[in-house]
Amino acid sequence: MKYKVLAADDEYWSRENLRSLISWEDYSIEFLDPACDGEEVLERIEEEKPDIILTDINMPFLSGLELLQKLQTEHPEIITIAVSGYDDFDKVKGVFVSGGLDYILKPVGKEELVKILTKALGILEEREMARKHKETNQIQEHKISSFLEDSEYSALLSGKLYGQFTAQPHVSSTKEFSGVAALLVKFYNIAEIAEKFEYDNLQMSLSIKTRLRNLTGCNAEAIIFNNCNKMSEFLIFTSYRINSLRILAENILEEFPLDEYGPVSVILHEQTGSLDDIGSMYRDMVAVLVTRPFTHSHCILACSQEEGSQSVGKTVSHRIEEEVYHLLNTGQKSDTAKLIFRTCDFKHCDNGEWSFLDVKQYVRRITGILYRYVQEQHPELTAQAEEAMDDIDYYMKCLDAPSVMASIRILLDSLWENNPDKNSTDSAGSQVEQIRQYILTSYHENITLTALAAAYHMDASYLSRMFSQTYGETIIACLTRVRMEQAIRLMEDEEKKLETISFLVGYDDYNYFSRVFRKKVGVSPREYRNNMYK
């Protein structure tokens, strides 16, 4: 940090002597243009903000002692050093009474000046360290307070509230909090956003909430919180009218541009409610959330006031199911892929005509057929099929259509591949090892198959096959295993909440993390932690 020194002396040669006596830059000090008297010093303080003032004692208009007294009263944070040509005890005494750090006799020597400046810089650095420490503590307290408030509001979403609700005074009464509308803000690239905050989920949450509150015009009545069970979701409850709410939604999307934050969905709840309605309003918005287009784009949707207006997803007819199964049984690989990807134009499911729900329903039916075939005809591939289905589920949550497609193709390919290509495995060995090392160190990031394939200039299906043949597990299976291992390690810290651990290992949705953990470990995260401390 660079500090500023302002010298004051009515004698030109004294001022210039101070300017040239030492190399100020070597001490990380900016030597400001010296002042001619005390009055000029007072005039320049507000604009130039000096940290240290060197002042002559005997100056016209406003003496050095008078200047020191004013500085002690009006700017006590400035370190002051007196300079005089007289060895006068009363003046020396006056310097210290007026808050001066020390007293230097003219002519000022280099060694003496360096000594007293070192003392002054030491004080300034101690102050700066204390300020940063205090600021860090305040920020941490603010983050923890924010998280606790989030936890209380999040409990209301599921109708559960553990302990006493301690919301802020302006929202503590249900009567006060009535007739409000709501917004749900959903981020899909939350892992990339977290990277901007060095994976400090509390700081990320607080920062996003602060930006959302600023967009409401710092409306004190608005409730804004981060869903602790789904770190990618932020909710706003406000007294805005619906037209203003739509403007707020548009402003939110502008605040978080697509190229920097990835896709964002904003769901509006057009019917107003009260604090008691938070849970039902949230469920309404989540129901609408799945109807967003399955595209890498921003989206604004509104909860319809008409019941039963939700669209019905695209379906796979019973005839098509039978045909897919027949093609699988007769080994018609090419025709099977054509039927799956060309039916309803599924290969273009990210063209804006398919909703998230459409894709989810379609994929579920197709993978169900494939899984049934594996269990009946190739039970030895059951574990591999389950891993592929986990991969697909993971990519669905990221709105990653290319990776969803690639994972389905990989699952299909595995049904006809019985003999690993040894030469291919050897040639790709270096790259897949690099990818494995990347997973081991960057497991908390949003790692996708297509992104890895693009980064290493490989076909996604080929990359997945080579990785599986080399390590005996798919890329996502490896990623999941590493994440669970890291989660267990983090559970040793009793102070870390499970929701925080979930986020730190790459899951913004705690419920999803809990399901994966139970599947891989055999018990829920909470049960596992409880057993650790028995």
Side-chain angles (χ1 to χ4, degrees):
M1 184 174 180
K2 202 168 189 177
Y3 296 104
K4 297 178 182 179
V5 168
L6 176 59
D9 199 306
D10 60 324
E11 296 180 356
Y12 173 78
W13 294 113
S14 295
R15 297 196 299 269
E16 292 307 304
N17 177 58
L18 285 174
R19 187 198 297 272
S20 60
L21 191 59
I22 62 173
S23 177
W24 297 90
E25 289 291 331
D26 292 345
Y27 296 90
S28 296
I29 295 175
E30 180 182 354
F31 188 81
L32 303 172
D33 285 338
C36 297
D37 54 53
E39 290 184 350
E40 184 182 343
V41 170
L42 294 176
E43 290 173 0
R44 292 170 55 185
I45 281 178
E46 288 302 323
E47 182 178 350
E48 300 185 22
K49 293 181 171 49
D51 301 290
I52 302 171
I53 288 179
L54 291 165
T55 179
D56 187 22
I57 292 295
N58 295 294
M59 293 187 297
F61 307 115
L62 186 69
S63 73
L65 288 181
E66 291 173 326
L67 174 61
L68 291 177
Q69 290 167 357
K70 279 186 170 293
L71 291 174
Q72 184 182 32
T73 302
E74 299 173 14
H75 303 280
E77 74 283 359
I78 297 177
I79 294 179
T80 52
I81 302 168
V83 181
S84 177
Y86 302 95
D87 189 5
D88 187 320
F89 177 76
D90 289 334
K91 285 188 171 66
V92 172
K93 181 180 177 181
V95 168
F96 292 109
V97 169
S98 301
L101 174 65
D102 215 328
Y103 183 95
I104 307 177
L105 290 176
K106 290 183 178 180
V108 179
K110 178 177 180 180
E111 184 177 342
E112 190 176 10
L113 179 61
V114 169
K115 182 178 179 180
I116 199 167
L117 283 174
T118 301
K119 183 178 178 181
L121 291 174
I123 293 172
L124 288 171
E125 288 174 358
E126 286 179 6
R127 285 183 188 173
E128 180 64 16
M129 288 177 63
R131 183 192 67 78
K132 288 182 177 179
H133 182 69
K134 181 179 179 181
E135 185 179 88
T136 299
N137 287 341
Q138 288 176 336
I139 290 173
Q140 188 63 20
E141 288 174 4
H142 194 185
K143 289 192 293 186
I144 293 174
S145 174
S146 175
F147 177 75
L148 292 175
E149 186 177 82
D150 287 346
S151 299
E152 292 180 329
Y153 283 123
S154 296
L156 292 177
L157 298 181
S158 58
K160 299 175 183 177
L161 185 59
Y162 305 99
Q164 184 178 0
F165 183 64
T166 55
Q168 296 301 317
H170 59 268
V171 296
S172 60
S173 167
T174 303
K175 183 178 180 181
E176 292 177 45
F177 191 79
S178 59
V180 298
L183 293 91
L184 169 62
V185 182
K186 166 78 173 180
F187 293 88
Y188 293 88
N189 282 12
I190 199 70
E192 283 84 349
I193 298 172
E195 188 176 1
K196 303 176 190 292
F197 298 90
E198 298 180 343
Y199 298 96
D200 182 342
N201 65 308
L202 296 183
Q203 182 58 47
M204 178 194 70
S205 174
L206 179 59
S207 175
I208 292 176
K209 286 193 298 182
T210 299
R211 293 172 70 173
L212 292 174
R213 185 165 295 282
N214 290 339
L215 291 174
T216 67
C218 297
N219 182 358
E221 294 182 356
I223 290 181
I224 301 175
F225 66 97
N226 188 189
N227 185 354
C228 291
N229 290 319
K230 295 185 178 180
M231 293 295 292
S232 58
E233 293 181 359
F234 292 78
L235 290 106
I236 303 174
F237 292 88
T238 175
S239 57
Y240 275 24
R241 293 184 179 277
I242 193 61
N243 289 338
S244 299
L245 206 65
R246 290 181 180 276
I247 294 173
L248 175 58
E250 292 170 359
N251 290 339
I252 289 172
L253 297 187
E254 289 183 8
E255 179 72 13
F256 300 98
L258 180 65
D259 59 351
E260 190 175 351
Y261 291 89
V264 179
S265 291
V266 181
I267 311 301
L268 315 180
H269 200 291
E270 297 181 330
Q271 293 175 298
T272 58
S274 67
L275 186 63
D276 294 333
D277 300 322
I278 283 183
S280 61
M281 294 173 79
Y282 171 69
R283 288 189 289 276
D284 289 343
M285 290 187 287
V286 169
V288 171
L289 184 62
V290 298
T291 67
R292 71 149 288 154
F294 193 77
T295 58
H296 191 80
S297 61
H298 283 345
C299 175
I300 297 177
L301 295 172
C303 294
S304 174
Q305 297 184 12
E306 299 177 11
E307 294 185 5
S309 61
Q310 182 171 305
S311 63
V312 177
K314 299 179 186 293
T315 60
V316 179
S317 69
H318 184 66
R319 183 189 62 78
I320 293 177
E321 285 189 44
E322 290 181 340
E323 190 172 350
V324 169
Y325 195 76
H326 170 73
L327 293 173
L328 288 170
N329 275 308
T330 54
Q332 299 181 60
K333 175 181 176 181
S334 178
D335 289 340
T336 303
K338 286 179 182 179
L339 184 59
I340 290 174
F341 291 104
R342 293 184 180 179
T343 300
C344 304
D345 199 27
F346 180 62
K347 65 179 179 179
H348 296 133
C349 66
D350 56 352
N351 63 3
E353 296 180 4
W354 289 65
S355 70
F356 179 90
L357 182 61
D358 290 336
V359 175
K360 183 175 182 179
Q361 290 179 336
Y362 187 90
V363 168
R364 182 174 293 174
R365 296 294 294 275
I366 292 297
T367 54
I369 298 166
L370 298 177
Y371 188 66
R372 172 190 159 201
Y373 171 76
V374 166
Q375 288 187 307
E376 294 179 358
Q377 304 298 327
H378 297 284
E380 72 279 5
L381 298 176
T382 297
Q384 189 171 342
E386 289 177 349
E387 286 182 359
M389 291 168 71
D390 286 342
D391 293 357
I392 293 167
D393 190 33
Y394 176 82
Y395 296 133
M396 284 280 297
K397 291 179 179 295
C398 302
L399 296 178
D400 187 352
S403 289
V404 170
M405 302 290 178
S407 296
I408 294 176
R409 291 186 184 279
I410 290 166
L411 177 55
L412 283 172
D413 289 343
S414 69
L415 303 180
W416 283 280
E417 290 171 2
N418 298 315
N419 300 312
D421 185 340
K422 182 67 168 60
N423 293 331
S424 296
T425 303
D426 290 342
S427 64
S430 175
Q431 289 177 304
V432 295
E433 172 59 20
Q434 290 177 42
I435 290 171
R436 190 180 76 89
Q437 290 299 323
Y438 176 70
I439 290 172
L440 293 177
T441 58
S442 306
Y443 55 86
H444 47 272
E445 296 180 8
N446 184 25
I447 298 174
T448 67
L449 176 61
T450 49
L452 288 174
Y456 288 88
H457 307 290
M458 300 172 71
D459 174 74
S461 180
Y462 174 77
L463 169 59
S464 178
R465 185 165 65 253
M466 292 303 101
F467 192 95
S468 297
Q469 290 175 2
T470 304
Y471 299 110
E473 61 183 350
T474 67
I475 288 174
I476 295 301
C478 175
L479 175 62
T480 301
R481 176 178 55 77
V482 171
R483 285 175 167 176
M484 296 304 108
E485 292 170 354
Q486 292 299 323
I488 289 172
R489 183 182 63 80
L490 291 171
M491 284 181 192
E492 296 175 2
D493 183 352
E494 295 183 66
E495 298 298 316
K496 276 191 168 59
K497 292 183 175 292
L498 292 174
E499 292 85 355
T500 299
I501 292 173
S502 166
F503 187 78
L504 290 176
V505 298
Y507 297 93
D508 67 276
D509 184 336
Y510 174 74
N511 293 326
Y512 180 68
F513 163 73
S514 182
R515 289 197 300 273
V516 173
F517 190 94
R518 180 183 288 276
K519 183 176 180 180
K520 299 297 181 184
V521 181
V523 295
S524 72
R526 202 168 303 280
E527 289 172 317
Y528 189 92
R529 171 173 262 180
N530 289 339
N531 291 334
M532 289 176 72
Y533 299 107
K534 280 186 177 180

